[in-house]
């Protein structure tokens, strides 16, 4: 009989290593443990779900470290909530800021705010691509453009904004952008957890 090469048997552990090592990994803000298992004869990457209540932010509650911070935050909320611009616009702008800095805590927070306010899902999900989306008013578009251009000087953009907002509303919009940027370092460095209430997420 002719010699027929028999296929070598690859151990499951090696098969997992070969196949799954080439699988692109997605960076996550929360620590995740990924392992490779054989399911239906095929190597499959599995990520066990870690209960979110077992996770904590990196920092303790900063208001316990700096008590004055509570008053500053409260003043910012009062300033931006004066009624000169819609609450929806505030949430749209702050959601876009969270997207721009790549922070899940802020994007989840402000997406939730928009949904609770009854905003259409199309508007909420289209914030990331608002330039191409037909769901926003001219005033909302200017506000979204402002938060993107906040670190650059644009006289043309100021002219557009002043066409839609009076002095008080424009000052409020500026404070809205400043408000979310005030919290961005805390969200990024402190690793606040998306979907977890402030009282529950800080490191003990």
């Amino acid at each position: 009989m002719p010699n027929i090469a028999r296929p070598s048997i690859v151990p499951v552990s090696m098969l997992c290593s070969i196949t799954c090592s080439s699988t692109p990994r997605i960076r996550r803000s929360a620590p995740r443990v990924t392992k490779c298992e054989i399911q239906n004869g095929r190597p499959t990457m599995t990520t066990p779900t870690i209960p979110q209540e077992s996770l904590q932010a990196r920092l303790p509650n900063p208001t316990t470290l700096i008590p004055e911070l509570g008053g500053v935050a409260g003043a910012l909320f009062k300033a931006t909530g004066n009624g000169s611009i819609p609450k929806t616009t505030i949430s749209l702008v702050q959601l876009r800021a969270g997207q721009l800095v790549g922070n899940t805590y802020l994007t989840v927070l402000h997406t939730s705010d928009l949904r609770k306010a009854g905003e259409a899902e199309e508007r909420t999900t289209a914030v990331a691509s608002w330039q191409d989306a037909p769901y926003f008013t001219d005033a909302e578009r200017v506000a979204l453009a402002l938060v993107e251009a906040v670190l650059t000087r644009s006289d043309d953009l100021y002219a557009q904004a002043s066409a839609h907002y009076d002095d008080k509303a424009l000052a409020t919009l500026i404070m809205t952008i400043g408000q979310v940027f005030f919290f961005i370092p805390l969200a990024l460095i402190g690793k606040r957890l998306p979907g977890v209430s402030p009282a529950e997420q800080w490191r003990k």
Side-chain angles (χ1 to χ4, degrees):
M1 294 180 65
N3 292 328
I4 301 176
R6 296 183 180 181
S8 59
I9 300 176
V10 180
V12 168
S13 59
M14 183 178 296
L15 187 60
C16 280
S17 175
I18 294 171
T19 305
C20 295
S21 62
S22 61
T23 303
R25 301 293 180 90
I26 299 174
R27 185 179 179 182
R28 302 177 185 272
S29 59
R32 307 297 293 272
V33 178
T34 304
K35 62 180 180 178
C36 191
E37 295 178 342
I38 298 297
Q39 296 182 1
N40 298 324
R42 295 182 179 181
T44 304
M45 296 294 289
T46 61
T47 304
T49 301
I50 300 175
Q52 200 157 41
E53 58 267 23
S54 68
L55 303 175
Q56 289 185 324
R58 289 175 177 167
L59 295 175
N61 189 333
T63 59
T64 63
L65 304 174
I66 310 172
E68 297 83 359
L69 182 61
V72 173
L76 282 171
F77 279 101
K78 186 176 180 179
T80 57
N82 62 44
S84 61
I85 60 175
K87 290 182 179 180
T88 296
T89 301
I90 293 174
S91 293
L92 290 172
V93 165
Q94 297 187 341
L95 170 56
R96 186 64 186 134
Q99 293 171 345
L100 289 169
V101 299
N103 184 257
T104 304
Y105 169 78
L106 291 172
T107 56
V108 169
L109 173 66
H110 296 298
T111 296
S112 177
D113 288 344
L114 287 164
R115 287 174 175 159
K116 289 176 182 177
E119 284 298 314
E121 193 67 16
E122 292 84 357
R123 276 168 54 82
T124 301
T125 56
V127 169
S129 56
W130 65 268
Q131 299 94 332
D132 183 59
Y135 308 119
F136 306 104
T137 67
D138 289 343
E140 289 170 340
R141 289 179 181 280
V142 169
L144 290 166
L146 273 176
V147 73
E148 292 188 359
V150 69
L151 297 180
T152 63
R153 181 175 176 178
S154 176
D155 290 336
D156 290 341
L157 190 54
Y158 172 80
Q160 294 176 41
S162 61
H164 294 281
Y165 300 97
D166 62 22
D167 288 345
K168 181 177 180 179
L170 186 53
T172 303
L173 183 56
I174 292 168
M175 288 300 101
T176 294
I177 296 170
Q179 179 185 30
V180 70
F181 273 74
F182 177 83
F183 288 105
I184 279 173
L186 184 59
L188 290 175
I189 299 170
K191 280 292 183 186
R192 298 187 68 174
L193 308 177
V196 179
S197 70
E200 297 173 345
Q201 67 172 272
W202 297 112
R203 194 189 76 213
K204 307 300 185 189

